[in-house]
Amino acid sequence: MSRGKAAAAIAIALLLSGCDSFPRDPANSLDKIRASGTIRVGTEQDLPPEARKLVEQVETATGAKAELRRGALEPLLDKLETGEIDLVVAPFTKKTPWATMSALSPPFRTERQGEQTVEWRAAMRSGENRWIMLVETSARKVARGKATP
């Protein structure tokens, strides 16, 4: 093997050795949920069937049980940012300002509220990529009708 190829192989090996747990959760959200056995879910209203299926899907994927916390949307999203809540499940408008402040799952239910269309989504703390991927995968399953209870 030439020197250049050997150096490239070593560089790739070093890069891959740092990839032990991608994607990463800087605040360890998913690990904390699994360790505690509890998913702290915020909602401001009763959950429609699709939202309940999403919560059940996430419970199955994590082995944790959901603990619902009721409240107004803005304070719940503030608690999400500080890590006091793991997930907020609520209807959001397409132009919600919260999309820039938190990670929103794909919509799993769409409904009309007066003149406006809202999409039910799950909001997660930005940057918690392992947790976000798990919830997004669950939301897609619910949206396609393939969720497992």
Side-chain angles (χ1 to χ4, degrees), residues 137 139-147:
T137 300
R140 284 187 189 94
K141 286 180 182 177
V142 170
R144 289 191 313 256
K146 298 187 183 220

Side-chain angles (χ1 to χ4, degrees), residues 20-89:
D20 59 343
S21 61
F22 275 114
R24 295 199 186 279
D25 281 355
N28 298 310
S29 294
L30 184 54
D31 291 339
K32 287 178 182 176
I33 289 165
R34 287 184 169 146
S36 71
T38 302
I39 309 162
R40 300 164 300 173
V41 180
T43 184
E44 64 178 349
Q45 57 187 283
D46 292 335
L47 298 177
E50 297 88 347
R52 287 194 302 271
K53 284 181 186 173
L54 172 69
V55 171
E56 290 169 2
Q57 186 74 30
V58 173
E59 285 177 323
T60 300
T62 60
K65 289 290 174 196
E67 178 184 283
L68 293 180
R69 298 181 181 185
R70 297 286 293 251
L73 185 59
E74 188 169 336
L76 288 173
L77 290 164
D78 287 339
K79 288 180 179 184
L80 181 69
E81 273 188 62
T82 62
E84 296 173 62
I85 287 191
D86 303 307
L87 192 66
V88 174
V89 179

